[in-house]
Amino acid sequence: MKYLVYSLIFVFTITVHAQYEYDASEKHPYGQPNPEAPEQIKDFEAMIGSCNCKSTTRKQDGTWNDTEDMIWRWKYIMNGTAVQDETLKADGAHTGSIRQFVKDSSRWYVHFFSTKFPTASLPTWEGNKTQDNKIILYRESKAPNGMDGFYRLTFYDMSKTGYKWAGEWVDTTEKIVYPTWKIECTRSED
């Protein structure tokens, strides 16, 4: 009887561990990409981990605010089949996103949340990694004058040492580009 109980505990432990083998662990604190996930799960690979960043937003009058320090942390979640990020800022205006690649549409869907502007329905951006190694995401957005367009998010200059990010309003042809937010990140020592 004792042997049966120990065997069941052993099998249960292995089964539970195998179900979550790509989640964060002591060996992999930011998780790992699940080999069963779409290959695009590695699109955000350069960002996985923690970076020290400089964030700058545009004021109403068109000038730029002072640079704000922030930490931007990324990890694989849902057993390595999705990506989550969070920003930590000194002013307490923390943000985050859940990123899932949907094979049927061949696109990333990014659901954004914020401590400053909690909402019952999360805004969603969608997009892909481009041939020139950028990740570009869009969300429909009208300009203050009512012109149709998008709020475009672009990750670029992605490497093991850091990355850059730009938030811009663009018209539907992307000929008019109005930057509103920029972030530069450097990999921190984990």
Side-chain angles (χ1 to χ4, degrees):
M1 183 66 169
K2 210 185 236 185
Y3 176 75
L4 179 61
V5 170
Y6 287 131
S7 295
L8 288 173
I9 290 171
F10 178 74
V11 169
F12 177 75
T13 303
I14 288 176
T15 303
V16 168
H17 176 70
Q19 289 175 349
Y20 309 108
E21 65 185 300
Y22 302 103
D23 273 356
S25 65
E26 194 171 317
K27 185 176 180 183
H28 301 283
Y30 300 106
Q32 302 175 82
N34 189 320
E36 299 294 319
E39 66 184 67
Q40 290 83 354
I41 194 68
K42 293 183 180 179
D43 287 355
F44 290 94
E45 190 170 41
M47 277 82 89
I48 299 296
S50 187
C51 280
N52 295 317
C53 305
K54 302 287 185 190
S55 172
T56 309
T57 56
R58 193 180 290 271
K59 296 178 188 177
Q60 279 303 109
D61 67 6
T63 62
W64 290 92
N65 285 303
D66 292 335
T67 300
E68 180 182 25
D69 291 332
M70 69 179 223
I71 296 168
W72 203 340
R73 194 177 301 145
W74 296 73
K75 64 183 176 180
Y76 292 107
I77 62 168
M78 296 168 49
N79 198 31
T81 61
V83 176
Q84 180 178 359
D85 69 273
E86 66 178 337
T87 64
L88 304 170
K89 300 177 194 109
D91 68 358
H94 311 308
T95 62
S97 296
I98 303 291
R99 301 161 187 275
Q100 289 183 293
F101 188 83
V102 177
K103 285 199 282 189
D104 292 347
S105 64
S106 296
R107 302 184 75 68
W108 279 101
Y109 292 89
V110 180
H111 309 284
F112 175 79
F113 49 95
S114 164
T115 57
K116 200 172 192 177
F117 303 105
T119 179
S121 178
L122 298 176
T124 304
W125 278 260
E126 59 181 84
N128 281 305
K129 191 169 188 178
T130 64
Q131 296 288 350
D132 57 348
N133 201 35
K134 295 178 181 176
I135 297 173
I136 303 176
L137 305 161
Y138 296 90
R139 181 170 187 255
E140 286 185 14
S141 176
K142 288 194 181 285
N145 68 1
M147 181 186 290
D148 287 334
F150 300 95
Y151 195 66
R152 179 177 72 188
L153 309 177
T154 305
F155 291 91
Y156 62 102
D157 289 349
M158 298 176 287
S159 72
K160 292 183 183 210
T161 60
Y163 53 92
K164 295 178 182 171
W165 180 93
E168 304 160 313
W169 183 87
V170 297
D171 71 330
T172 56
T173 65
E174 298 189 63
K175 290 182 180 165
I176 299 172
V177 178
Y178 187 74
T180 63
W181 195 355
K182 53 189 174 181
I183 302 172
E184 291 190 25
C185 298
T186 304
R187 177 80 49 207
S188 63
E189 295 298 320
D190 292 329

